[in-house]
Amino acid sequence: MLRLVVVNLFRNPLRTFLTMASVTVALFLYCALGGILDTLQESIKVGSESRLVVRNKISLVQWIPMAYRQRIESVPGVKRVVVQNWFGAQDPADTKGFFAQFAVDDPYYGVYGKDFDIIAASDPLAPVTIPDGADPKLAAYYAEQTACVVGEKLLAKKGWKLGQTITLAGTIFPGSWPFTIRAVYRAKKKSFGDETMFFHYKYLSEKGMGGQEPVGTYVLELNDPSQASAITHAVDSQFENAAPATLTETEQAFQAGFVSMYGNIPFVLRVIGLAIVFSILLIAANTMMTSIRERTSEFGVLKTLGFTDGAVFGMVVAEAAVITLGGGLLGALGARALVSGASMPGGFFPPMSIYWGTVLTGIAIAVVIGAVSGLVPAVQASRLRIVDALRRVE
Amino acid sequence: MATVDVRDVVKVYRRQTEEVRVLDGLSLKIPDGAFVALMGPSGSGKTTLLNLIGGVDQPTSGDVSVDGTSIAKMGGAALARWRSTSIGYIFQLYNLIPVLSAQENVELPLLLVSMSGSERKKRAKTALELVGLGDRLGHYPRQLSGGQEQRVAIARAIVSDPKVLLADEPTGDLDRKSAEEVLQLLERLNREFKKTIVMVTHDPHAAERATTRYHLDKGVLSN
């Protein structure tokens, strides 16, 4: 019986291939679009529930003063405070290959020490003090104001080398910005990403802001994460009547807020994905019905030989299932294999992720397409009367 | 004892509001091992009668028994199972599955019974050898002549060793030589293997090969 299903699939190989290919492409697109949603979700995981982010209450793009730092550090329960500023420069050699750059101060590598490993570093030119929790391999970085740390994927993508001096063109902070790559990191968790560059906040402050010290965000490391709510309140209440006021939230909530700036895009992506799937469902159903209609007399013969209505029904559904499930598996698994790990445009997000849940949903959709597209022709074929199928009434 | 017993069968087809009474109280007894030819003009009900005997269609009223089994009121699945073991059907246009080889076509009825793949192949080969096509096992229908295709169809009809063979114009689409080969084969199956054969034909020459001939006109049977 299986042989019968297989030979019928190859009866018109081009049609079978094209139908399967259309399902493959549809499921590939569905999973790739789902992957964007997964990546947005993944980017929230970068944030920790045990770290807090303080930003300008009005908007993320508004600064907060460096003067707040000391007052924040004095809040009971705050262990360390990190300054983090978005830089947003371009590589003149590759203006479309945007990547994220952050100016951070010294404690950053201690606070985030558990999130990545330093896999390569230059030798230090002079002895230097390493902040608590930071990797000692960062000595050369700490000893040089124009030094930077880059992710290994970014390094490979740009073809840079450790010790190389690169020059970026500032956008928010105009001018030509030379940096020397003194260390390369590898993220311990995928969500952290390997395509970001970090450099000294002091370099940004002195070269880009004329010695002024506006801050994008403060990241707070806490002694006791269970006190996060009280500390949040304590920090914000300090600046309640100041200009600017602050908004403090967990790092995870901060990332979620960042993602929410994408508004209805996730909804639109879902609708597009479902529209693709629905159109393919119609195509697959039409193909199956055409294929069955062409074989009407053969079903009559099979039934004359003793094949039951149920056997004929099963054969048609099996044909549809092989086409759609085969195409679905190729598309969904292909999307995971090819799209996972690719860079998201914009440089804000970790590498693309396609969760297994999305892949399984895609495969389930392929099963449903198979069932629905095969169901109508299968019912038609199984209900077919032999005398009508043979079309010979004497 | 009659292998085929058709009693007071009425068959009415409905076409929209019109009713067509194809068979009107027809009765027929075909003894075991007979070779019967059914003749008659187009639209006389020959194929309808054949379909009723083969359980391919069911009568509006009356009863049809084959080898003691009443099939007139049998349910769909039971009737299909009965057909697979009790009836061999030969069509005018052979109706082989084009994407299957000769041997695979002959194996089709055996897919419906519990049997190992090797046993199935062995039986299909034997059936094809019996019809003189032992050297054409792997050939596809498009690689065979019309006469050869019909012999593959006959092998398919006999492979499950049914007692009754029903042939609907088996020589209607063949040249004289091929038709003769097919008729000789049917005669042999009747004579040597004791198959009861009911053959619908327009061809008097073919009908002469049968042991009994009936003429059907407007649903009424005569010798």
Side-chain angles (χ1 to χ4, degrees):
Chain A
M1 206 75 90
L2 186 67
R3 164 99 178 115
L4 206 52
V5 172
V6 173
V7 294
N8 279 327
L9 285 171
F10 287 98
R11 181 183 289 257
N12 190 333
L14 183 63
R15 179 165 61 196
T16 302
F17 168 76
L18 290 176
T19 311
M20 198 180 256
S22 65
V23 176
T24 301
V25 171
L27 266 296
F28 183 93
L29 288 175
Y30 177 84
C31 289
L33 291 174
I36 294 175
L37 303 178
D38 292 347
T39 307
L40 293 177
Q41 195 63 35
E42 189 70 15
S43 71
I44 295 172
K45 291 184 187 168
V46 176
S48 161
E49 282 291 338
S50 62
R51 286 192 290 255
L52 298 179
V53 176
V54 183
R55 67 172 176 90
N56 189 307
K57 191 175 183 179
I58 296 168
S59 164
L60 183 60
V61 297
Q62 304 273 334
W63 306 113
I64 41 178
M66 182 60 91
Y68 283 13
R69 178 178 195 146
Q70 208 173 357
R71 292 169 68 185
I72 293 169
E73 278 174 335
S74 68
V75 172
V78 174
K79 188 177 171 188
R80 276 190 286 195
V81 176
V82 174
V83 168
Q84 183 175 269
N85 273 34
W86 174 254
F87 186 50
Q90 285 182 333
D91 177 6
D94 179 19
T95 50
K96 287 183 180 171
F98 188 77
F99 59 98
Q101 311 111 32
F102 288 98
V104 296
D105 63 356
D106 289 353
Y108 181 88
Y109 302 94
V111 171
Y112 284 91
K114 289 179 180 167
D115 290 339
F116 57 79
D117 288 324
I118 300 299
I119 57 166
S122 300
D123 293 329
L125 298 173
V128 67
T129 310
I130 305 293
D132 184 30
D135 192 321
K137 291 202 280 287
L138 287 170
Y141 167 81
Y142 280 119
E144 187 177 344
Q145 185 158 299
T146 57
C148 68
V149 180
V150 298
E152 66 169 335
K153 270 193 187 167
L154 178 63
L155 190 84
K157 204 167 162 183
K158 294 283 188 183
W160 293 338
K161 300 271 183 296
L162 183 67
Q164 181 181 343
T165 297
I166 56 170
T167 303
L168 302 184
T171 52
I172 305 169
F173 308 98
S176 187
W177 291 78
F179 296 95
T180 306
I181 302 168
R182 288 300 178 203
V184 180
Y185 78 87
R186 177 183 294 157
K188 281 182 182 170
K189 52 181 184 178
K190 193 178 168 189
S191 57
F192 192 84
D194 288 318
E195 295 189 42
T196 305
M197 175 183 137
F198 299 98
F199 66 97
H200 292 286
Y201 174 79
K202 202 173 174 191
Y203 182 31
L204 173 66
S205 160
E206 289 182 2
K207 180 175 160 60
M209 300 186 283
Q212 291 180 39
E213 294 185 315
V215 174
T217 55
Y218 289 108
V219 179
L220 316 185
E221 187 183 26
L222 309 181
N223 286 321
D224 179 4
S226 69
Q227 297 299 309
S229 175
I231 294 169
T232 298
H233 181 71
V235 171
D236 286 344
S237 60
Q238 280 203 64
F239 308 107
E240 206 168 16
N241 297 313
T246 59
L247 175 68
T248 305
E249 55 198 344
T250 64
E251 201 175 44
Q252 213 161 69
F254 173 77
Q255 289 290 346
F258 194 67
V259 169
S260 73
M261 289 195 295
Y262 277 77
N264 277 339
I265 286 179
F267 171 75
V268 172
L269 291 179
R270 277 199 184 89
V271 169
I272 292 171
L274 289 173
I276 292 169
V277 165
F278 184 69
S279 59
I280 291 305
L281 170 69
L282 298 180
I283 291 170
N286 184 50
T287 306
M288 284 309 297
M289 287 178 77
T290 307
S291 165
I292 299 312
R293 203 176 304 121
E294 286 171 359
R295 285 186 280 148
T296 300
S297 65
E298 283 181 28
F299 288 121
V301 173
L302 290 176
K303 288 187 173 190
T304 305
L305 296 179
F307 282 70
T308 59
D309 293 349
V312 169
F313 179 90
M315 269 171 47
V316 176
V317 168
E319 276 179 46
V322 170
I323 290 175
T324 56
L325 195 56
L329 281 170
L330 275 176
L333 294 175
R336 187 173 158 89
L338 297 176
V339 176
S340 278
S343 303
M344 279 270 279
F348 300 101
F349 294 102
M352 282 278 286
S353 295
I354 299 183
Y355 293 158
W356 279 111
T358 302
V359 172
L360 291 176
T361 305
I363 293 169
I365 286 172
V367 171
V368 171
I369 291 177
V372 175
S373 65
L375 210 60
V376 175
V379 168
Q380 281 180 344
S382 68
R383 285 187 178 171
L384 202 60
R385 292 177 69 238
I386 297 173
V387 285
D388 293 333
L390 296 175
R391 294 186 180 183
R392 272 177 54 81
V393 178
E394 256 192 277
Chain B
M1 178 192 157
T3 297
V4 178
D5 190 358
V6 179
R7 284 191 299 272
D8 302 323
V9 159
V10 174
K11 182 66 186 175
V12 178
Y13 286 116
R14 286 177 215 285
R15 293 205 176 91
Q16 292 169 341
T17 54
E18 190 189 358
E19 278 193 354
V20 181
R21 209 171 181 86
V22 183
L23 300 177
D24 190 6
L26 184 143
S27 293
L28 170 69
K29 286 183 193 295
I30 298 174
D32 197 10
F35 185 174
V36 172
L38 282 176
M39 298 187 73
S42 292
S44 60
K46 303 186 297 292
T47 297
T48 300
L49 178 58
L50 204 68
N51 288 340
L52 294 177
I53 296 170
V56 164
D57 201 358
Q58 289 186 299
T60 308
S61 67
D63 191 25
V64 178
S65 290
V66 178
D67 202 22
T69 305
S70 172
I71 59 168
K73 291 190 170 56
M74 210 179 256
L79 201 55
R81 276 193 293 275
W82 174 82
R83 275 198 304 272
S84 70
T85 54
S86 308
I87 296 288
Y89 219 104
I90 302 159
F91 304 92
Q92 179 183 352
L93 296 174
Y94 338 125
N95 284 338
L96 300 178
I97 307 295
V99 288
L100 297 179
S101 67
Q103 188 170 16
E104 287 169 332
N105 265 288
V106 176
E107 280 182 50
L108 276 174
L110 302 179
L111 293 174
L112 303 165
V113 293
S114 176
M115 187 180 287
S116 69
S118 56
E119 176 65 16
R120 204 163 54 226
K121 285 188 192 318
K122 195 175 137 196
R123 288 202 190 187
K125 188 168 177 255
T126 305
L128 280 165
E129 281 168 350
L130 187 72
V131 299
L133 291 174
D135 57 344
R136 296 283 193 276
L137 302 180
H139 284 57
Y140 286 86
R142 64 178 179 280
Q143 298 168 319
L144 299 170
S145 67
Q148 288 172 328
E149 280 195 75
Q150 190 61 299
R151 282 191 278 154
V152 173
I154 292 171
R156 182 177 66 184
I158 61 173
V159 73
S160 53
D161 197 24
K163 204 164 185 178
V164 178
L165 295 181
L166 303 177
D168 191 359
E169 302 260 18
T171 59
D173 207 47
L174 298 177
D175 58 62
R176 182 167 291 186
K177 183 171 173 289
S178 300
E180 181 57 31
E181 285 170 359
V182 166
L183 289 169
Q184 281 176 7
L185 190 55
L186 291 177
E187 278 180 320
R188 188 176 163 215
L189 290 171
N190 174 245
R191 206 172 45 244
E192 285 181 33
F193 297 91
K194 310 296 177 203
K195 301 292 179 194
T196 302
I197 299 176
V198 183
M199 175 177 71
V200 164
T201 183
H202 278 108
D203 179 7
H205 174 71
E208 279 173 16
R209 312 296 278 270
T211 52
T212 312
R213 285 167 288 281
Y214 289 103
H215 192 83
L216 193 60
D217 194 7
K218 294 176 184 168
V220 179
L221 203 62
S222 59
N223 269 322

